[in-house]
Short mmCIF file of all heavy atoms in Angstrom, two decimals:
data_model
loop_
_atom_site.label_atom_id
_atom_site.label_comp_id
_atom_site.label_asym_id
_atom_site.label_seq_id
_atom_site.Cartn_x
_atom_site.Cartn_y
_atom_site.Cartn_z
N LEU A 1 121.35 80.78 -67.11
CA LEU A 1 122.01 79.80 -66.24
C LEU A 1 122.59 80.47 -65.01
O LEU A 1 122.43 79.97 -63.89
CB LEU A 1 123.12 79.07 -67.03
CG LEU A 1 123.96 78.08 -66.25
CD1 LEU A 1 123.12 76.91 -65.76
CD2 LEU A 1 125.10 77.56 -67.12
N ARG A 2 123.23 81.61 -65.19
CA ARG A 2 123.80 82.32 -64.05
C ARG A 2 122.72 82.77 -63.08
O ARG A 2 122.90 82.72 -61.85
CB ARG A 2 124.63 83.51 -64.51
CG ARG A 2 126.00 83.11 -65.04
CD ARG A 2 126.92 84.30 -65.19
NE ARG A 2 126.45 85.25 -66.17
CZ ARG A 2 126.75 85.21 -67.47
NH1 ARG A 2 127.52 84.26 -67.94
NH2 ARG A 2 126.29 86.13 -68.29
N LYS A 3 121.56 83.21 -63.61
CA LYS A 3 120.46 83.64 -62.74
C LYS A 3 119.93 82.47 -61.92
O LYS A 3 119.66 82.59 -60.72
CB LYS A 3 119.35 84.26 -63.56
CG LYS A 3 119.68 85.64 -64.09
CD LYS A 3 118.55 86.22 -64.88
CE LYS A 3 117.47 86.73 -63.95
NZ LYS A 3 116.53 87.64 -64.58
N ILE A 4 119.75 81.31 -62.58
CA ILE A 4 119.24 80.13 -61.88
C ILE A 4 120.24 79.65 -60.83
O ILE A 4 119.86 79.25 -59.73
CB ILE A 4 118.89 79.02 -62.89
CG1 ILE A 4 117.72 79.46 -63.76
CG2 ILE A 4 118.55 77.72 -62.18
CD1 ILE A 4 117.44 78.54 -64.93
N LEU A 5 121.54 79.70 -61.16
CA LEU A 5 122.56 79.31 -60.20
C LEU A 5 122.50 80.21 -58.96
O LEU A 5 122.63 79.72 -57.83
CB LEU A 5 123.96 79.40 -60.83
CG LEU A 5 124.35 78.27 -61.76
CD1 LEU A 5 125.60 78.63 -62.53
CD2 LEU A 5 124.55 76.99 -60.99
N GLY A 6 122.29 81.50 -59.17
CA GLY A 6 122.19 82.42 -58.04
C GLY A 6 120.97 82.15 -57.18
O GLY A 6 121.04 82.18 -55.94
N LYS A 7 119.84 81.86 -57.83
CA LYS A 7 118.62 81.55 -57.08
C LYS A 7 118.81 80.29 -56.24
O LYS A 7 118.42 80.24 -55.07
CB LYS A 7 117.45 81.34 -58.04
CG LYS A 7 116.88 82.59 -58.61
CD LYS A 7 115.70 82.25 -59.51
CE LYS A 7 115.17 83.47 -60.22
NZ LYS A 7 114.04 83.14 -61.10
N ARG A 8 119.42 79.27 -56.87
CA ARG A 8 119.64 78.02 -56.14
C ARG A 8 120.60 78.25 -54.97
O ARG A 8 120.39 77.74 -53.87
CB ARG A 8 120.19 76.94 -57.07
CG ARG A 8 120.34 75.59 -56.37
CD ARG A 8 120.84 74.53 -57.27
NE ARG A 8 122.27 74.68 -57.50
CZ ARG A 8 123.01 73.80 -58.16
NH1 ARG A 8 122.44 72.72 -58.68
NH2 ARG A 8 124.28 73.99 -58.33
N GLN A 9 121.62 79.06 -55.19
CA GLN A 9 122.59 79.35 -54.14
C GLN A 9 121.92 80.07 -52.96
O GLN A 9 122.18 79.75 -51.80
CB GLN A 9 123.71 80.19 -54.71
CG GLN A 9 124.88 80.38 -53.77
CD GLN A 9 126.01 81.13 -54.43
OE1 GLN A 9 125.84 81.72 -55.50
NE2 GLN A 9 127.16 81.14 -53.80
N ARG A 10 121.04 81.02 -53.27
CA ARG A 10 120.33 81.73 -52.20
C ARG A 10 119.40 80.81 -51.43
O ARG A 10 119.30 80.89 -50.20
CB ARG A 10 119.56 82.92 -52.77
CG ARG A 10 120.46 84.08 -53.15
CD ARG A 10 119.67 85.34 -53.44
NE ARG A 10 118.72 85.21 -54.53
CZ ARG A 10 119.01 85.38 -55.81
NH1 ARG A 10 120.25 85.68 -56.18
NH2 ARG A 10 118.08 85.26 -56.75
N LEU A 11 118.70 79.92 -52.15
CA LEU A 11 117.81 78.97 -51.46
C LEU A 11 118.60 78.03 -50.57
O LEU A 11 118.17 77.71 -49.45
CB LEU A 11 117.01 78.16 -52.49
CG LEU A 11 115.74 78.79 -53.02
CD1 LEU A 11 115.18 77.95 -54.15
CD2 LEU A 11 114.71 78.95 -51.93
N LEU A 12 119.75 77.56 -51.06
CA LEU A 12 120.57 76.66 -50.25
C LEU A 12 121.12 77.38 -49.02
O LEU A 12 121.20 76.78 -47.94
CB LEU A 12 121.71 76.08 -51.08
CG LEU A 12 121.29 75.01 -52.08
CD1 LEU A 12 122.46 74.66 -53.00
CD2 LEU A 12 120.79 73.76 -51.39
N ALA A 13 121.48 78.64 -49.17
CA ALA A 13 121.96 79.42 -48.01
C ALA A 13 120.85 79.57 -46.98
O ALA A 13 121.08 79.43 -45.77
CB ALA A 13 122.46 80.78 -48.47
N TYR A 14 119.63 79.83 -47.45
CA TYR A 14 118.48 79.95 -46.55
C TYR A 14 118.25 78.64 -45.81
O TYR A 14 118.07 78.62 -44.58
CB TYR A 14 117.24 80.34 -47.36
CG TYR A 14 115.95 80.15 -46.61
CD1 TYR A 14 115.53 81.10 -45.68
CD2 TYR A 14 115.14 79.04 -46.82
CE1 TYR A 14 114.34 80.94 -44.98
CE2 TYR A 14 113.96 78.87 -46.13
CZ TYR A 14 113.56 79.81 -45.22
OH TYR A 14 112.40 79.66 -44.52
N LEU A 15 118.29 77.53 -46.55
CA LEU A 15 118.03 76.23 -45.94
C LEU A 15 119.12 75.86 -44.94
O LEU A 15 118.84 75.30 -43.88
CB LEU A 15 117.91 75.15 -47.02
CG LEU A 15 117.48 73.77 -46.55
CD1 LEU A 15 116.09 73.82 -45.93
CD2 LEU A 15 117.50 72.79 -47.70
N SER A 16 120.37 76.20 -45.25
CA SER A 16 121.46 75.87 -44.33
C SER A 16 121.34 76.65 -43.03
O SER A 16 121.73 76.17 -41.96
CB SER A 16 122.82 76.10 -44.97
OG SER A 16 123.07 77.47 -45.13
N LYS A 17 120.80 77.88 -43.11
CA LYS A 17 120.60 78.65 -41.88
C LYS A 17 119.42 78.11 -41.07
O LYS A 17 119.49 78.02 -39.85
CB LYS A 17 120.32 80.12 -42.21
CG LYS A 17 121.52 80.90 -42.65
CD LYS A 17 121.12 82.32 -42.98
CE LYS A 17 122.20 83.01 -43.78
NZ LYS A 17 121.75 84.29 -44.32
N LYS A 18 118.34 77.75 -41.74
CA LYS A 18 117.12 77.34 -41.05
C LYS A 18 117.19 75.92 -40.52
O LYS A 18 116.77 75.65 -39.40
CB LYS A 18 115.90 77.47 -41.98
CG LYS A 18 115.54 78.87 -42.33
CD LYS A 18 115.03 79.60 -41.11
CE LYS A 18 114.68 81.02 -41.43
NZ LYS A 18 114.26 81.78 -40.25
N ASN A 19 117.68 74.98 -41.36
CA ASN A 19 117.68 73.58 -40.96
C ASN A 19 118.89 72.89 -41.58
O ASN A 19 118.85 72.47 -42.73
CB ASN A 19 116.38 72.91 -41.40
CG ASN A 19 116.19 71.55 -40.78
OD1 ASN A 19 117.14 70.91 -40.37
ND2 ASN A 19 114.94 71.12 -40.72
N ARG A 20 119.94 72.78 -40.80
CA ARG A 20 121.21 72.24 -41.31
C ARG A 20 121.09 70.77 -41.72
O ARG A 20 121.73 70.33 -42.67
CB ARG A 20 122.27 72.42 -40.23
CG ARG A 20 123.67 72.21 -40.68
CD ARG A 20 124.11 73.35 -41.56
NE ARG A 20 125.47 73.11 -41.98
CZ ARG A 20 126.11 73.85 -42.85
NH1 ARG A 20 125.53 74.89 -43.39
NH2 ARG A 20 127.33 73.57 -43.19
N VAL A 21 120.26 70.00 -41.03
CA VAL A 21 120.11 68.57 -41.32
C VAL A 21 119.46 68.37 -42.69
O VAL A 21 119.94 67.58 -43.51
CB VAL A 21 119.30 67.87 -40.21
CG1 VAL A 21 119.06 66.41 -40.55
CG2 VAL A 21 120.00 68.00 -38.87
N ARG A 22 118.37 69.10 -42.94
CA ARG A 22 117.70 69.00 -44.24
C ARG A 22 118.62 69.46 -45.36
O ARG A 22 118.62 68.88 -46.45
CB ARG A 22 116.42 69.86 -44.25
CG ARG A 22 115.25 69.18 -43.60
CD ARG A 22 114.04 70.08 -43.44
NE ARG A 22 113.64 70.77 -44.65
CZ ARG A 22 112.80 71.81 -44.66
NH1 ARG A 22 112.31 72.27 -43.54
NH2 ARG A 22 112.48 72.38 -45.79
N TYR A 23 119.43 70.48 -45.10
CA TYR A 23 120.39 70.99 -46.07
C TYR A 23 121.41 69.92 -46.43
O TYR A 23 121.68 69.67 -47.61
CB TYR A 23 121.08 72.24 -45.51
CG TYR A 23 122.27 72.71 -46.30
CD1 TYR A 23 122.10 73.38 -47.50
CD2 TYR A 23 123.57 72.48 -45.85
CE1 TYR A 23 123.20 73.82 -48.22
CE2 TYR A 23 124.66 72.92 -46.57
CZ TYR A 23 124.47 73.58 -47.76
OH TYR A 23 125.54 74.00 -48.49
N LYS A 24 121.97 69.27 -45.41
CA LYS A 24 122.98 68.23 -45.64
C LYS A 24 122.38 67.06 -46.44
O LYS A 24 123.02 66.53 -47.34
CB LYS A 24 123.53 67.70 -44.31
CG LYS A 24 124.39 68.69 -43.58
CD LYS A 24 125.78 68.70 -44.15
CE LYS A 24 126.71 69.50 -43.25
NZ LYS A 24 128.02 69.64 -43.83
N GLU A 25 121.16 66.66 -46.09
CA GLU A 25 120.50 65.57 -46.81
C GLU A 25 120.28 65.94 -48.28
O GLU A 25 120.52 65.13 -49.17
CB GLU A 25 119.14 65.24 -46.18
CG GLU A 25 119.22 64.53 -44.86
CD GLU A 25 117.85 64.33 -44.24
OE1 GLU A 25 116.83 64.64 -44.90
OE2 GLU A 25 117.79 63.87 -43.09
N LEU A 26 119.84 67.16 -48.51
CA LEU A 26 119.54 67.60 -49.88
C LEU A 26 120.79 67.64 -50.75
O LEU A 26 120.77 67.12 -51.87
CB LEU A 26 118.87 68.98 -49.85
CG LEU A 26 118.43 69.54 -51.20
CD1 LEU A 26 117.33 68.68 -51.79
CD2 LEU A 26 117.95 70.96 -51.05
N ILE A 27 121.87 68.22 -50.25
CA ILE A 27 123.06 68.32 -51.10
C ILE A 27 123.68 66.95 -51.33
O ILE A 27 124.26 66.70 -52.38
CB ILE A 27 124.10 69.32 -50.56
CG1 ILE A 27 124.61 68.92 -49.18
CG2 ILE A 27 123.56 70.72 -50.54
CD1 ILE A 27 125.78 69.75 -48.72
N SER A 28 123.52 66.03 -50.37
CA SER A 28 124.05 64.68 -50.60
C SER A 28 123.21 63.93 -51.63
O SER A 28 123.74 63.21 -52.47
CB SER A 28 124.13 63.90 -49.29
OG SER A 28 122.83 63.66 -48.80
N LYS A 29 121.88 64.12 -51.60
CA LYS A 29 121.00 63.44 -52.57
C LYS A 29 121.21 63.98 -53.98
O LYS A 29 121.19 63.22 -54.94
CB LYS A 29 119.53 63.60 -52.17
CG LYS A 29 119.11 62.70 -51.05
CD LYS A 29 117.64 62.89 -50.74
CE LYS A 29 117.22 62.05 -49.57
NZ LYS A 29 115.83 62.31 -49.18
N LEU A 30 121.39 65.28 -54.10
CA LEU A 30 121.50 65.89 -55.42
C LEU A 30 122.94 65.92 -55.93
O LEU A 30 123.17 66.24 -57.09
CB LEU A 30 120.94 67.32 -55.41
CG LEU A 30 119.44 67.44 -55.18
CD1 LEU A 30 119.03 68.90 -55.17
CD2 LEU A 30 118.67 66.68 -56.23
N GLY A 31 123.89 65.62 -55.08
CA GLY A 31 125.29 65.65 -55.51
C GLY A 31 125.81 67.06 -55.72
O GLY A 31 126.62 67.31 -56.61
N ILE A 32 125.37 67.99 -54.90
CA ILE A 32 125.79 69.39 -55.00
C ILE A 32 126.91 69.61 -53.97
O ILE A 32 126.86 69.07 -52.86
CB ILE A 32 124.62 70.34 -54.68
CG1 ILE A 32 123.48 70.10 -55.65
CG2 ILE A 32 125.06 71.79 -54.74
CD1 ILE A 32 122.23 70.88 -55.29
N ARG A 33 127.91 70.40 -54.36
CA ARG A 33 128.96 70.73 -53.40
C ARG A 33 128.42 71.68 -52.37
O ARG A 33 127.52 72.49 -52.64
CB ARG A 33 130.13 71.39 -54.11
CG ARG A 33 130.92 70.44 -54.97
CD ARG A 33 132.06 71.16 -55.59
NE ARG A 33 131.55 72.25 -56.43
CZ ARG A 33 132.25 72.86 -57.37
NH1 ARG A 33 133.48 72.53 -57.59
NH2 ARG A 33 131.72 73.83 -58.08
N GLU A 34 128.97 71.61 -51.17
CA GLU A 34 128.55 72.51 -50.10
C GLU A 34 129.04 73.92 -50.41
O GLU A 34 130.14 74.11 -50.91
CB GLU A 34 129.12 72.03 -48.78
CG GLU A 34 128.48 72.70 -47.60
CD GLU A 34 128.74 71.96 -46.30
OE1 GLU A 34 129.19 70.81 -46.35
OE2 GLU A 34 128.50 72.56 -45.24
N THR A 35 128.20 74.90 -50.12
CA THR A 35 128.56 76.29 -50.41
C THR A 35 129.64 76.77 -49.46
O THR A 35 129.73 76.31 -48.32
CB THR A 35 127.34 77.21 -50.30
OG1 THR A 35 126.76 77.08 -49.00
CG2 THR A 35 126.31 76.88 -51.34
#
């Protein structure tokens, strides 16, 4: 679980750097808190 959480966190960090709009849409759809 900790490994998967880290992978997801890294992917979200990548997405927030590359495309902030897609990042915001994704976390709102999935109900994830912003990093």
Side-chain angles (χ1 to χ4, degrees):
L1 176 64
R2 283 194 296 270
K3 286 181 77 163
I4 294 171
L5 282 168
K7 284 182 185 179
R8 184 179 76 173
Q9 189 176 12
R10 286 192 300 274
L11 276 172
L12 286 171
Y14 165 80
L15 187 62
S16 71
K17 285 179 196 169
K18 291 292 179 184
N19 192 337
R20 193 72 180 173
V21 176
R22 279 172 51 195
Y23 169 76
K24 290 280 190 185
E25 287 176 7
L26 183 65
I27 61 171
S28 66
K29 283 181 183 175
L30 293 179
I32 301 173
R33 289 181 300 198
E34 194 163 346
T35 56

